[in-house]
Amino acid sequence: MVSPARLAEGLSAFGLDREGRPEQPLVHVDLDGCSALASGVVEAAVAAAAEARHILVGVASRPLEQEGLRLATTLSLSLVPPAPPGQSVARSCIAAADPTRTAMSLATSVLATPMAATTLTGLLRLTEQLPVTDGLFAESLAYSTLLAGPEFAAWRQSTPRRPVPVGTPDDPPVVLVREEGLLRITLNRPRRHNAFSSELRDGLLEALDLARWDPTLTAVELTGRGRSFCSGGDLDEFGTAPDPAAAHLIRTRQSVAHAIDRIGARVRTLVHGACIGAGIELPSFGARLEARPGTYFQLPELRMGLIPGAGGTVGITRRIGRWRTAYMALSGNPVDVPTALEWGLVDAALTDDAPREPGDPTHESVRLVGRIGWSNALTEGEKRGD
């Protein structure tokens, strides 16, 4: 662990081994005692942190004062004790019962996949400053690069693929129901916990395109059937693109995150159960995100040698800041509803008695406008209202 004074002097070079892996990807920074430092030292430490390529994790055993908070904003993230009742920790900090132990756990995760980890924290510094479209483009470049890397290859080799079930006309991956000016979009792969497959992606894109071009649709509600809202990308499809260039083009040209962002002011998402990877990345772009009791949110991609690739480094960062986004991805730990509500990851917590599947398409009071994700999906003319 280095002191702020040592950080101010400059860290050692960001070294790589013969295979291009970072040799010392993470550095812990002791934030205790920042207030006793001369202002010039803190200024130099802030400047050095902004230039460093290392993952910089601040650690404090007591609440931070002004100078400590100032330095924390330039680090990758900072771990601090929980705030007293009625108070909250700064946006750049994560409350931990034992900050030192949590810091050691993060180091273990980073050392397992250092290429992905350092790519993530460098990307987050970029995406927090970029417009949504540019941020998604940068994320896709980073993600596609890691698809060709050794860390993902090792995970893919240890995780054999299984056949991916496809939808049928009677059981499509995405179901649409229209109720006057409201369009309800339901993820419909409950046996796979609504895993985000290419078929489900295409269905969502068509549904969101319908909402975009139909001015009579004033609200969009996104839900999922089964025990989970969405368990993230379908692992059996990971790495199936022909090459990294193709993966990037597919990801940017068929971006559900971008499609949600374009109509985001009209989108309300109701989540439950597991919201993993894309299951929280995509809802983060909507105007309203509400969670049922027992819901949890998780970004586990680092364990696969990857980073969030469904827009999370953009949408989640805009909701909770790059520091807590980094913590979610580097730790892979689940975040519960009370924490998500405190951070601003969700906008409201629903009660147990809230309807679970409003707008059932079999109900006579609603009009089924499409079973998206199958061959009878709406035509381009129908989407425009022609």
Side-chain angles (χ1 to χ4, degrees):
M1 186 177 296
V2 302
S3 67
R6 175 66 184 84
L7 176 61
E9 296 172 0
L11 297 174
S12 58
F14 186 75
L16 304 175
D17 65 19
R18 291 183 178 182
E19 297 180 345
R21 292 182 174 87
E23 294 179 324
Q24 187 183 3
L26 184 145
V27 174
H28 293 124
V29 180
D30 184 1
L31 294 178
D32 288 339
C34 277
S35 58
L37 297 173
S39 59
V41 175
V42 175
E43 185 75 27
V46 167
E51 293 293 327
R53 296 188 180 183
H54 303 75
I55 299 169
L56 300 177
V57 177
V59 184
S61 62
R62 52 183 179 270
L64 297 180
E65 298 182 6
Q66 182 177 354
E67 295 300 334
L69 290 172
R70 185 180 172 208
L71 179 55
T73 60
T74 64
L75 304 180
S76 303
L77 64 97
S78 294
L79 301 164
V80 300
Q87 300 181 29
S88 59
V89 301
R91 183 177 169 89
S92 60
C93 299
I94 295 88
D98 187 337
T100 299
R101 184 175 180 178
T102 303
M104 294 300 105
S105 179
L106 280 182
T108 300
S109 297
V110 167
L111 290 175
T113 51
M115 290 179 168
T118 52
T119 298
L120 169 76
T121 54
L123 177 66
L124 288 173
R125 289 183 182 272
L126 181 64
T127 55
E128 72 170 343
Q129 305 175 51
L130 293 176
V132 168
T133 302
D134 294 343
L136 292 173
F137 192 86
E139 178 188 276
S140 177
L141 285 173
Y143 185 95
S144 300
T145 299
L146 291 170
L147 281 175
E151 294 170 352
F152 173 72
W155 174 82
R156 184 71 280 177
Q157 185 176 13
S158 67
T159 312
R161 289 191 180 93
R162 302 168 298 169
V164 179
V166 296
T168 68
D170 295 324
D171 191 26
V174 178
V175 173
L176 271 65
V177 172
R178 178 164 186 163
E179 194 173 23
E180 298 182 346
L182 171 64
L183 180 66
R184 302 186 192 273
I185 304 174
T186 303
L187 309 185
N188 189 40
R189 299 184 75 209
R191 288 181 294 277
R192 302 277 283 200
H193 290 265
N194 295 319
F196 189 72
S197 64
S198 58
E199 190 183 32
L200 189 146
R201 175 202 65 203
D202 293 344
L204 276 175
L205 287 172
E206 293 185 39
L208 294 165
D209 214 26
L210 169 65
R212 180 188 180 194
W213 294 112
D214 187 342
T216 67
L217 290 172
T218 57
V220 175
E221 188 172 274
L222 181 60
T223 61
R225 284 184 171 164
R227 290 182 294 169
S228 302
F229 170 72
C230 176
S231 60
D234 196 314
L235 300 185
D236 295 311
E237 290 190 352
F238 276 39
T240 55
D243 53 66
H248 169 62
L249 292 175
I250 292 170
R251 193 168 294 278
T252 52
R253 298 303 186 273
Q254 298 174 294
S255 172
V256 175
H258 188 212
I260 294 176
D261 182 66
R262 284 187 299 201
I263 62 167
R266 290 185 276 161
V267 178
R268 174 186 181 226
T269 307
L270 308 177
V271 298
H272 67 282
C275 297
I276 301 172
I280 179 55
E281 296 177 63
L282 298 177
S284 70
F285 286 90
R288 187 78 176 168
L289 175 53
E290 301 175 11
R292 299 183 189 282
T295 303
Y296 68 93
F297 309 92
Q298 194 169 16
L299 296 176
E301 292 88 350
L302 201 71
R303 299 170 188 172
M304 308 168 200
L306 297 172
I307 59 174
T313 67
V314 180
I316 295 177
T317 298
R318 277 162 172 68
R319 280 183 169 266
I320 66 175
R322 66 172 173 86
W323 308 274
R324 288 169 176 170
T325 304
Y327 173 76
M328 287 185 67
L330 293 177
S331 70
N333 292 337
V335 173
D336 60 19
V337 172
T339 303
L341 193 60
E342 178 187 347
W343 286 1
L345 184 60
V346 301
D347 301 300
L350 297 171
T351 59
D352 278 318
D353 58 357
R356 289 199 171 269
E357 291 186 11
D360 187 334
T362 63
H363 197 283
E364 62 182 6
S365 66
V366 299
R367 180 166 65 92
L368 184 64
V369 298
R371 290 182 179 274
I372 300 300
W374 192 248
S375 58
N376 64 342
L378 300 180
T379 66
E380 289 296 322
E382 288 171 324
K383 292 176 197 171
R384 294 191 300 269
D386 293 352

